[in-house]
Amino acid sequence: MNILDGLNDSQRNAATHIDGAMLILAGAGSGKTKTITTRLAYLISEVGIDPASTLTLTFTNKAANEMRMRALSLLNSNNISTQPLLCTFHKFGLLFLKFHINVLGRKNNFIIIDTDDKKRIIKSFESDLPTSVLSSEISSYKNSLLSVDDVYKNATDLGSKEYGKEAFYQKAAKIYARYEEYLAANNLVDFDDLLVLTYKILDADEGLAKEISNRYKYIMVDEYQDTNDLQYKLLKKLCATHQNLCVVGDDDQSIYGWRGARIENILNFKDQFKDVLVVKLEHNYRSSEAILKAANELIEHNRGRLGKRLISTRGSGDEVAVVESADEASEAGKLASLVKELIIKGVKPSEIAILYRVNALSRSLEDGLSREKIAYKMVGGVKFYERAEIKDIISYLRLVLNNSDDFSLRRIINRPKRGLGKVSLERLERVAYEDKSSLFEAINRASLEFSKKVQEALFDFVKSVVELSSVKDVGLLVDGLEDKFGIKKYYAALPDGSERAANIDEFYAMLKDQAKNSPTFSIDEFLNELTLTSEADAISDEAISIMSVHASKGLEFEHLFVIGLEEGFFPLLGESSDIEEERRLAYVALTRAKSKLTLSFAASRFYKGQRARLNKSRFLSESGVCAGSLVIQKSDEYKKGDLVKHKIFGIGRVTAVSKRGKEHKLTINFGGSVREIMSSFVEKAV
């Protein structure tokens, strides 16, 4: 069989391109994996390219394995001497470092540590900053190619969040220094080092960069819209002697800007390489016409895109449905009923999914599904009542209700920080054991062995718990919990604090609401019910999927529901939000649906601790599924997130806008170099 059989014209055009740079702009459900694996097979079996001269890079092992199997199935393996290298970016880094890490004075028998190992090492430094936050910060520094000295030098500019007397970033820099020293001393390499060290070696040795480039003369990259600046720089090194780079991606599905992905990589690709061939894959094999019509109309409102329009191969299909509800409880009830109807009709639960933009929205949804006894699984996330900040509040409540609850006390005695380390907790447990008392009762005697500062913190802790133990009103108890312990304030101060704070607001508001609507409401019974529900959830194999939109990327479902389509929730609005990335996220959500798409919005929700009236999302009117006022931005205005072009500095992204007379002063990030420039000196990049 001809390996090109079954390809449409665009796919065939991409698969048979040999020399020179190529951008395959692959729309959702357009068969991109089939196209690039066929191209790899075509280069080897039809053109005669040595398999060892090819390199195909992906982001996940799952994607790499799938592509490898597909490519090899198209090849006659008896006729090829070696298999093509098809792996993740990080696997390539590992293979490279095994041969070349010695130039850094390191041995090639290094050990790779995973995320848990990394956190364990960081935790051993006993910082008062959360381990997960430090882990994320260090990863960010490395991917930005910032050395310890760079971070120290920039600490005052990077942020002003303070933990005690010392700025957050200064503390993070110290931990970063200790962490790097530890890795070097023990010949360890973390996940980020696989790319960082590889790039540093190639950047320092032009001869080696050319040697590696000559070895891999045909390079392909999947999901190019998700590459960060470091990966782009690494690819430039790998193409030091040729332009045979084929990248596959979709600018309309670039949704990871918050973790370093640069949409500029795909938008500017045709300007960064010579004579780039651009091939658009627009035939969609996943969704019905009605679904694609809504998705196409929505994404056309974005200015920062290369432009394409998906064409359905599946026929018209059902119209997109819109569900309007009074509040989140009503919404959850309606969706649970719709899901139940589908299951009764014989639809497999695995073919049904519900998506949300904000994780806090899962709480009412989970409750609604549980009431209807619909089994669900949380994909790529943590169930609402199992999130760290919620479990902390639950532990505080349990301790207030039962001062002898040692398990709960262990969890929260040092959260927020009270200066109680591992040794101090062991001392407290020893005293409790000797006195045959609870840990709470042992605090008064054990604390005499602690420093004055820790003593005061513990005495205040005990006093607050005792005072709250006598509060019967649920609303007053919840308010008192926050006033005395500041759990929300503690979590809100973290770099990922806005989402955690939203979860806490949702939980507090739900408790108050339940107490208000049910005179017999008991927190004790509620907490026990939570435990029973979570244990029962784990029993069923057949379950629908619920997840954030981010977690849904790459998945598809026959029946899809998207909830929370209100201004402020989806799109998520705030200082750090980028409306075009929010719109791309909505586009990703819509294009997960195959046969039936239902979009849901509510007139009110609990928002930041109180019930708020909401306007339906602009995305509903922009996609043409319901009437509404369009939110249009004048083309001559600049906003945060815009891509702009400067005649000297090139392409940059606007990070802040301020009024200066008749024009605006723009703060622009040009690939890491931040400058303030008047708006009349730049133009929109796209």
Side-chain angles (χ1 to χ4, degrees), residues 425-435 445 449:
L425 185 57
E426 287 173 352
R427 194 177 299 160
L428 177 60
E429 290 183 324
R430 175 176 50 79
V431 170
Y433 178 77
E434 291 171 354
D435 290 355
R445 186 161 82 82
E449 301 179 39

Side-chain angles (χ1 to χ4, degrees), residues 56-62 64 86-93:
T56 305
L57 297 170
T58 69
F59 276 85
T60 66
N61 287 318
K62 180 182 177 183
L86 205 161
C87 61
T88 64
F89 272 93
H90 293 88
K91 177 67 179 293
F92 173 78

Side-chain angles (χ1 to χ4, degrees), residues 146-162:
L146 292 173
S147 67
V148 171
D149 288 341
D150 291 332
V151 177
Y152 269 124
K153 189 163 51 177
N154 298 334
T156 53
D157 301 324
L158 285 170
S160 58
K161 288 180 182 173
E162 295 206 353

Side-chain angles (χ1 to χ4, degrees), residues 623-660:
S623 58
V625 298
C626 71
S629 57
L630 291 175
V631 182
I632 299 172
Q633 301 208 261
K634 293 180 183 177
S635 60
D636 60 342
E637 288 182 353
Y638 290 93
K639 68 181 190 309
K640 188 173 181 179
D642 276 349
L643 285 175
V644 295
K645 185 183 291 185
H646 187 276
K647 62 182 180 182
I648 296 173
F649 305 122
I651 300 289
R653 186 177 289 282
V654 177
T655 58
V657 181
S658 58
K659 187 78 172 170
R660 284 293 183 275

Side-chain angles (χ1 to χ4, degrees), residues 406-452:
D406 288 354
F407 182 80
S408 294
L409 185 136
R410 282 190 189 92
R411 180 180 177 90
I412 48 87
I413 194 167
N414 206 37
R415 197 177 298 174
K417 301 288 185 183
R418 297 186 177 89
L420 203 74
K422 184 180 178 183
V423 174
S424 300
L425 185 57
E426 287 173 352
R427 194 177 299 160
L428 177 60
E429 290 183 324
R430 175 176 50 79
V431 170
Y433 178 77
E434 291 171 354
D435 290 355
K436 294 183 174 56
S437 68
S438 68
L439 291 175
F440 188 78
E441 291 169 327
I443 286 176
N444 285 330
R445 186 161 82 82
S447 60
L448 297 175
E449 301 179 39
F450 303 147
S451 68
K452 188 174 180 181

Side-chain angles (χ1 to χ4, degrees), residues 34-94:
K34 180 179 182 180
T35 304
I36 57 176
T37 51
T38 301
R39 179 175 188 263
L40 179 60
Y42 179 83
L43 289 175
I44 295 168
S45 66
E46 300 295 323
V47 181
I49 302 298
D50 181 358
S53 295
T54 69
L55 171 63
T56 305
L57 297 170
T58 69
F59 276 85
T60 66
N61 287 318
K62 180 182 177 183
N65 291 335
E66 181 187 353
M67 287 185 190
R68 186 181 299 107
M69 294 299 292
R70 286 209 199 183
L72 292 177
S73 70
L74 294 170
L75 293 167
N76 184 343
S77 55
N78 295 326
N79 296 334
I80 59 173
S81 54
T82 57
Q83 285 197 2
L85 181 54
L86 205 161
C87 61
T88 64
F89 272 93
H90 293 88
K91 177 67 179 293
F92 173 78
L94 168 61

Side-chain angles (χ1 to χ4, degrees), residues 380-499:
V382 181
K383 291 185 176 182
F384 185 84
Y385 295 114
E386 293 172 9
R387 291 168 190 160
E389 58 274 20
I390 303 304
K391 291 186 80 169
D392 281 354
I393 296 171
I394 289 172
S395 293
Y396 269 104
L397 288 171
R398 288 193 184 283
L399 186 65
V400 166
L401 295 171
N402 175 12
N403 298 164
S404 299
D405 187 344
D406 288 354
F407 182 80
S408 294
L409 185 136
R410 282 190 189 92
R411 180 180 177 90
I412 48 87
I413 194 167
N414 206 37
R415 197 177 298 174
K417 301 288 185 183
R418 297 186 177 89
L420 203 74
K422 184 180 178 183
V423 174
S424 300
L425 185 57
E426 287 173 352
R427 194 177 299 160
L428 177 60
E429 290 183 324
R430 175 176 50 79
V431 170
Y433 178 77
E434 291 171 354
D435 290 355
K436 294 183 174 56
S437 68
S438 68
L439 291 175
F440 188 78
E441 291 169 327
I443 286 176
N444 285 330
R445 186 161 82 82
S447 60
L448 297 175
E449 301 179 39
F450 303 147
S451 68
K452 188 174 180 181
K453 184 180 177 182
V454 175
Q455 279 185 42
E456 289 175 359
L458 288 177
F459 287 149
D460 186 50
F461 173 75
V462 169
K463 181 185 174 189
S464 296
V465 171
V466 171
E467 287 177 3
L468 289 175
S469 295
S470 61
V471 176
K472 302 302 178 189
D473 181 85
V474 173
L476 293 176
L477 175 58
V478 168
D479 291 340
L481 202 67
E482 192 54 43
D483 289 342
K484 292 182 182 298
F485 300 115
I487 311 158
K488 178 184 165 186
K489 183 180 177 184
Y490 164 74
Y491 275 110
L494 305 181
D496 61 345
S498 58
E499 186 174 304

